[in-house]
Amino acid sequence: MMKPAGVVRKVDQLGRIVLPKSLRKRYQMNEGDPVEILVQGDHIILERYRPKCVFCGSMDNVSEFKERYICGSCVTEMNVLKVRA
């Protein structure tokens, strides 16, 4: 469940908002960190971006391969398929 942070910011001419330093510090967000924008109903949600496996959606043990992300479990499954072929 979402709870208000007690902070109101205005959107500037370029559509930007500033996240308060206290929130950036609390959620360990630094300059240059990727942020994912999600929409749920009429809510806009900002999350620190964490790569997900392109096959199963897991965020655990994810590595980049040819500009895509894949988890260790899916790599293991693909290796099993390769051995069977």
Side-chain angles (χ1 to χ4, degrees), residues 25-80:
K25 186 175 180 179
R26 179 178 179 182
Y27 294 101
Q28 300 173 351
M29 299 175 86
N30 299 304
E31 182 179 339
D33 286 351
V35 176
E36 189 168 18
I37 302 169
L38 307 167
V39 177
Q40 185 177 30
D42 48 339
H43 296 279
I44 299 169
I45 301 167
L46 302 177
E47 286 186 0
R48 286 186 316 151
Y49 175 72
R50 289 184 50 200
K52 298 172 182 82
C53 177
V54 294
F55 297 111
C56 71
S58 172
M59 290 187 274
D60 297 327
N61 192 20
V62 176
S63 300
E64 187 173 5
F65 177 72
K66 294 189 177 185
E67 299 181 14
R68 301 283 191 263
Y69 294 97
I70 184 168
C71 72
S73 297
C74 287
V75 169
T76 300
E77 284 185 46
M78 283 192 279
N79 285 331
V80 169

Side-chain angles (χ1 to χ4, degrees), residues 7 9 18-30:
V7 177
R9 292 286 193 249
V18 175
L19 297 176
K21 185 176 183 178
S22 61
L23 288 177
R24 294 192 315 264
K25 186 175 180 179
R26 179 178 179 182
Y27 294 101
Q28 300 173 351
M29 299 175 86
N30 299 304

